[in-house]
């Protein structure tokens, strides 16, 4: 006989205060990012800004924006937010797009619209191909996977910027689109958008610039005097862009923008079903039922910060970033990857001496949340306002971490360093994939209610052979 499901809806109603107290208690074990221990993912300015976002979101808490024509005030805000973003990204009066639930949806929709465009304009192509540098965000792999596209990834230069010649070699008669990052999330490296734009022009291709993380930061970097190569609609062959409001737009979570140079490309994003018994069904983006609150919050956030507010925050984050960067560069074992174009970077240890993952373990022991990367093994840091006060402390710990890892070469075969080392360096990617799948299924499946299926939890279980394998792989990859 089937057993009952483990979670059962409470039989009776409970008082709100009690429910919220339970939630507060549960939340206290989550990552304490406001203390500045994390260096990624948590985009936040201050409480005043957040309170405004919440109030604006609450104002439209109940509205279902599935039908934009029922809520003209939301449609107006969405158009204004999209328009202001288009202006920042040097679009013109023809630039058009929508808000979405996030960067992933923006990329999915752009890839979908380009595919539909290709169906009309290049009907002989069966499987349309996208060419991108291998540093492109996984949202493009997801789009290719979901929409039956082929994503061909080009090798990149040692400084992690797109290699235009390598991209050109991957172009075939089935290629419809080039994609590149402004900048890449992992390393903060701006791809050479003008040169890739020329390539798109030469081969008559669409060109998407993924400015999910840079779209609301690079405009201020430029205004503060940095001389960046053009990275947006100023490059004439750029046909679409994505930029996340919920990153450096400092909006509420669930907000991004997809932009097109003109309506001919954009119209392909609209989904229409004329046969549904519920009436003519059409949506501008991926979702059906759609919150209006995130749009309201984004609009309110723009009004609150204004250009002056974004500039002030950018100036502070960039000054702190320079301090962090100088501190890392002062340690001879460490090297920053390429030339970061904004307040995010990745660094590794030269020739992996000492092992970067051993450095990571030491930092974790000191309470830092460490963003370990691979290909090459490295550590990622983005500077947010709440990180600014802890930078001196981070650098003191980092210096100690390098010294400790130097003195303990065996550490690369122990604990998390061994685990991450194997995952990053082992050529059997299918095996890694299946392990990650198990971790995720384990996190959601019953019988693991603590939710501690993080890789870190496997630490104690790291067997000896894993340590040997890890050190062997690290040596071999050098
Ligand atoms: C964050 C990011 C994405 C995906 O955005 P989500 O909001 O996480 O879905 C895509 N591309 C780049 C460059 C990003 O930084």
């Amino acid at each position: 006989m089937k057993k009952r499901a483990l979670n059962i809806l409470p039989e009776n109603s409970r008082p709100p205060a009690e429910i919220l107290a339970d939630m507060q208690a549960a939340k206290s074990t989550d990552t304490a990012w406001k203390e500045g221990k994390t260096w990624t993912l948590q985009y936040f300015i201050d409480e005043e800004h957040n309170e405004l976002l919440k109030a604006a979101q609450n104002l439209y808490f109940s509205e279902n924006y599935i039908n934009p024509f029922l809520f003209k005030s939301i449609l107006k805000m969405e158009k204004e937010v999209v328009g202001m973003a288009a202006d920042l990204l040097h679009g013109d009066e023809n630039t058009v797009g929508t808000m979405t639930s996030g960067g992933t949806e923006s990329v999915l929709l752009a890839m979908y619209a380009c595919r539909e465009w290709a169906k009309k304009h290049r009907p002989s192509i069966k499987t349309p191909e996208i060419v991108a540098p291998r540093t492109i965000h996984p949202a493009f792999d997801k789009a290719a996977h979901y929409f039956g596209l082929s994503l061909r990834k080009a090798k990149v230069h040692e400084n992690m910027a797109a290699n235009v010649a390598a991209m050109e070699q991957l172009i075939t008669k089935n290629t419809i689109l080039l994609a590149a990052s402004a900048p890449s999330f992992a390393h903060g490296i701006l791809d050479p958008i003008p040169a890739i734009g020329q390539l798109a022009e030469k081969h008559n291709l669409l060109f998407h610039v993924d400015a999910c993380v840079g779209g609301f930061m690079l405009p201020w970097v430029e205004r503060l005097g940095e001389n960046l190569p053009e990275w947006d609609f100023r490059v004439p062959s750029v046909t679409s862009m994505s930029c996340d409001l919920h990153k450096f737009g400092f909006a509420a979570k669930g907000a991004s923008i997809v932009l097109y140079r003109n309506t001919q490309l954009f119209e392909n994003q609209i989904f229409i079903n004329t046969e549904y018994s519920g009436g003519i069904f059409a949506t501008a983006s991926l979702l059906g039922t759609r919150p209006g609150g995130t749009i309201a919050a984004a609009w309110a956030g723009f009004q609150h910060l204004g250009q002056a507010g974004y500039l002030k925050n950018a100036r502070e984050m960039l000054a702190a970033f320079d301090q962090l960067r100088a501190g890392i560069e002062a340690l001879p074992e460490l090297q920053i990857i390429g030339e970061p174009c904004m307040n995010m970077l990745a660094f590794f240890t030269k020739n992996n001496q000492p092992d970067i993952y051993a450095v990571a373990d030491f930092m974790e022991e000191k309470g830092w949340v460490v963003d370990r990367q691979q290909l090459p093994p490295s550590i990622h840091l983005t500077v947010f306002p709440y990180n600014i006060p802890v930078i001196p402390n981070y650098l003191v710990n980092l210096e100690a971490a390098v010294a400790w890892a130097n003195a303990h070469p065996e550490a690369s075969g122990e604990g998390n360093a061994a685990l991450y080392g194997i995952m990053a360096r082992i050529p059997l990617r299918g095996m890694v994939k299946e392990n990650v799948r198990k971790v995720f299924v384990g996190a959601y499946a019953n019988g693991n209610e603590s939710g501690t299926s993080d890789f870190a939890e496997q630490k104690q279980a790291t067997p000896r052979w894993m340590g040997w394998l890890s050190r062997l792989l690290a040596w071999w990859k050098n």
Side-chain angles (χ1 to χ4, degrees):
M1 207 180 81
K2 252 175 66 173
K3 285 196 188 154
R4 270 193 91 163
L6 291 179
N7 292 299
I8 297 161
L9 190 66
E11 198 127 345
N12 296 307
S13 116
R14 297 175 61 202
E18 188 187 302
I19 300 164
L20 287 170
D22 281 359
M23 291 169 76
Q24 285 288 359
K27 197 177 183 212
S28 66
T29 59
D30 290 351
T31 296
W33 56 270
K34 269 189 204 174
E35 295 165 13
K37 294 279 164 72
T38 63
W39 299 84
T40 185
L41 302 181
Q42 286 300 324
Y43 302 80
F44 172 85
I45 293 188
D46 58 27
E47 295 298 345
E48 186 194 50
H49 187 69
N50 254 30
E51 289 310 313
L52 171 68
L53 297 183
K54 287 182 206 168
Q57 195 159 19
N58 267 342
L59 205 57
Y60 287 90
F61 179 78
S62 302
E63 277 71 14
N64 183 356
Y65 187 52
I66 186 169
N67 181 348
F69 306 106
L70 287 183
F71 299 105
K72 297 229 164 53
S73 69
I74 305 178
L75 179 58
K76 183 166 179 288
M77 286 188 288
E78 182 180 9
K79 280 187 74 173
E80 288 179 11
V81 167
V82 169
M84 288 184 247
D87 179 58
L88 279 179
L89 272 48
H90 297 92
D92 59 21
E93 76 274 18
N94 294 317
T95 312
V96 57
T98 64
M99 276 184 64
T100 69
S101 63
T104 300
E105 189 187 341
S106 292
V107 169
L108 288 179
L109 286 173
M111 295 306 102
Y112 172 73
C114 291
R115 187 191 81 174
E116 296 304 290
W117 181 91
K119 271 189 192 166
K120 289 182 212 160
H121 297 270
R122 304 185 56 189
S124 62
I125 298 179
K126 281 208 185 67
T127 302
E129 294 172 5
I130 303 167
V131 172
R134 74 163 177 85
T135 46
I136 202 83
H137 191 278
F140 288 82
D141 297 76
K142 207 182 236 184
H145 192 66
Y146 284 4
F147 299 140
L149 303 162
S150 166
L151 175 57
R152 309 193 73 199
K153 290 192 202 169
K155 64 174 195 240
V156 294
H157 291 294
E158 206 172 332
N159 65 9
M160 287 289 146
N163 179 331
V164 184
M167 286 178 73
E168 184 163 28
Q169 281 181 354
L170 296 182
I171 296 174
T172 73
K173 61 182 193 324
N174 296 324
T175 308
I176 61 164
L177 172 125
L178 304 180
S181 313
S184 62
F185 182 83
H187 313 111
I189 302 296
L190 179 58
D191 284 329
I193 305 301
I196 300 170
Q198 281 175 3
L199 194 61
E201 218 161 305
K202 179 176 161 191
H203 295 270
N204 199 16
L205 300 169
L206 301 170
F207 181 20
H208 184 93
V209 173
D210 181 13
C212 275
V213 77
F216 291 107
M217 193 62 199
L218 295 185
W220 320 117
V221 172
E222 289 189 296
R223 280 197 211 178
L224 289 168
E226 204 63 49
N227 200 5
L228 298 176
E230 291 178 347
W231 53 275
D232 55 14
F233 284 115
R234 279 169 292 185
V235 176
S237 54
V238 171
T239 45
S240 57
M241 293 191 72
S242 40
C243 52
D244 284 357
L245 291 157
H246 62 197
K247 287 184 182 155
F248 289 105
F250 293 112
K253 300 296 174 285
S256 170
I257 293 175
V258 57
L259 285 172
Y260 301 89
R261 186 172 285 281
N262 56 45
T263 50
Q264 284 87 46
L265 197 50
F266 168 63
E267 67 178 17
N268 299 288
Q269 182 181 307
I270 317 291
F271 182 85
I272 304 156
N273 181 329
T274 56
E275 316 303 324
Y276 176 45
S277 49
I280 306 281
F281 185 96
T283 54
S285 59
L286 201 63
L287 303 183
T289 293
R290 199 178 162 198
T294 41
I295 294 170
W299 191 89
F302 271 7
Q303 303 299 319
H304 181 229
L305 289 173
Q307 300 184 28
Y310 279 108
L311 259 179
K312 174 180 170 286
N313 277 298
R315 188 182 288 117
E316 288 169 10
M317 289 187 289
L318 289 165
F321 178 77
D322 285 345
Q323 183 194 358
L324 178 70
R325 184 179 170 162
I328 294 170
E329 281 168 343
L331 297 172
E333 289 89 344
L334 302 184
Q335 187 176 329
I336 291 170
I337 296 179
E339 185 58 38
C341 66
M342 52 184 264
N343 51 323
M344 55 205 305
L345 61 75
F347 67 91
F348 53 59
T349 44
K350 293 170 193 163
N351 301 317
N352 200 44
Q353 298 298 327
D355 186 12
I356 187 74
Y357 293 134
V359 173
D361 279 3
F362 183 96
M363 293 303 278
E364 208 160 61
E365 286 291 318
K366 292 286 170 196
W368 303 99
V369 178
V370 185
D371 192 9
R372 297 170 178 87
Q373 304 194 128
Q374 59 175 2
L375 307 167
S378 56
I379 292 175
H380 171 98
L381 298 169
T382 303
V383 173
F384 299 102
Y386 53 80
N387 294 122
I388 296 173
V390 304
I391 287 173
N393 192 15
Y394 181 86
L395 289 172
V396 167
N397 284 175
L398 187 60
E399 185 173 3
V402 172
W404 179 84
N406 266 332
H408 295 87
E410 75 286 356
S412 68
E414 291 165 1
N416 281 344
L419 209 62
Y420 283 97
I422 290 174
M423 288 199 300
R425 298 181 180 109
I426 202 161
L428 309 168
R429 305 318 288 171
M431 193 177 97
V432 175
K433 195 170 178 177
E434 281 320 302
N435 265 316
V436 173
R437 195 184 303 281
K438 269 191 210 143
V439 169
F440 266 77
V441 171
Y444 284 95
N446 291 319
N448 188 10
E449 270 35 61
S450 62
T452 52
S453 56
D454 199 76
F455 299 118
E457 301 298 324
Q458 300 179 19
K459 189 171 174 175
Q460 278 76 22
T462 308
R464 248 242 206 70
W465 65 265
M466 231 185 222
W468 285 109
L469 179 59
S470 173
R471 295 193 70 189
L472 183 71
L473 285 167
W475 167 81
W476 173 61
K477 286 270 165 168
N478 272 324

